[in-house]
Amino acid sequence: INSAGFIRHSRVYEGDKADIATVEDMINDLEVHNNNTKDKTIVMDAGFASDENLIFLDKKGYKYICVSRQRLNEDVIKSIKAKHTVEDRLGNKIELAIFNQAKFNDTWMYVKSEQKRIKEESMTIKLCDRFEQELQSIDNAIHKKGGTKQIEKVWERIGRCRKKTVMLVADTQ
């Protein structure tokens, strides 16, 4: 987008390619379609923010803002001294702090809000419901004529269901 927020270029990337694997392609597109990438800041969510991608952006001279792929542990959160509370336009309180961690060169921002907690809780409940529905479907197949009854196949289905759920939970965190 340009400084006024209008789209200058867009592209749809391969559907079966993980977000994390598209960063170099996106940066190359950015450089082809924008003759001035100096002092640009790349904004991305956790799906793009691998250590390798952040190193790549740093080497290319880009600044970046991203959602961390790792959760802050309670000791780090407790050690943050200057937390500030602000309100969004709907009056919801948001707790903010900017800090550094010894093992990272990046500047971190801590953001905590009740609205975010409610959203994450809702997503977790939906994922658990889907998991339980899939397990019920597996159980139904065991007791249905023509359904999957071979123990190896049942365990495969359970494993696929578990893997899919774990991946989705990781994406929400």
Side-chain angles (χ1 to χ4, degrees):
I1 61 174
N2 65 15
S3 60
F6 291 102
I7 295 173
R8 294 182 61 184
H9 172 75
S10 68
R11 175 177 164 198
V12 177
Y13 293 88
E14 294 176 47
D16 62 347
K17 195 171 186 181
D19 290 345
I20 206 167
T22 62
V23 170
E24 287 189 39
D25 291 341
M26 287 189 280
I27 295 303
N28 291 334
D29 281 350
L30 174 69
E31 291 172 347
V32 165
H33 292 91
N34 187 343
N35 57 0
N36 181 15
T37 58
K38 185 175 173 69
D39 296 323
K40 299 296 184 216
T41 301
I42 307 299
V43 180
M44 59 190 145
D45 71 11
F48 297 93
S50 69
D51 289 341
E52 295 80 18
N53 285 340
L54 299 181
I55 290 167
F56 169 77
L57 291 172
D58 197 42
K59 284 182 180 177
K60 295 283 276 183
Y62 288 99
K63 297 173 190 145
Y64 56 84
I65 298 172
C66 64
V67 177
S68 175
R69 295 177 69 86
Q70 56 186 305
R71 285 241 185 243
L72 294 176
N73 66 41
E74 287 301 315
D75 292 336
V76 171
I77 293 170
K78 288 177 186 174
S79 73
I80 301 171
K81 293 176 180 53
K83 293 180 185 168
H84 304 281
T85 301
V86 297
E87 289 185 1
D88 67 12
R89 67 178 182 268
L90 300 175
N92 299 308
K93 295 195 181 317
I94 302 169
E95 193 174 25
L96 301 171
I98 295 176
F99 65 101
N100 293 83
Q101 290 194 72
K103 59 184 179 178
F104 296 97
N105 294 328
D106 298 312
T107 300
W108 290 66
M109 177 180 264
Y110 169 77
V111 181
K112 179 180 178 183
S113 74
E114 181 63 13
Q115 296 305 106
K116 177 74 171 171
R117 187 199 62 75
I118 291 168
K119 176 186 166 203
E120 287 177 352
E121 185 177 289
S122 171
M123 292 170 68
T124 300
I125 289 169
K126 285 180 185 177
L127 290 172
C128 289
D129 287 347
R130 281 190 209 160
F131 183 69
E132 289 173 8
Q133 288 172 359
E134 183 63 27
L135 290 177
Q136 186 61 54
S137 172
I138 294 167
D139 183 57
N140 292 345
I142 292 170
H143 297 93
K144 185 170 74 174
K145 183 179 179 181
T148 304
K149 294 177 181 46
Q150 293 179 341
I151 190 71
E152 296 84 16
K153 297 291 183 188
V154 171
W155 281 117
E156 281 179 26
R157 282 188 70 186
I158 292 170
R160 280 195 304 271
C161 175
R162 184 172 177 270
K163 182 179 179 182
K164 182 172 39 172
T165 303
V166 167
M167 287 172 50
L168 290 171
V169 168
D171 284 345
T172 65
Q173 295 182 344

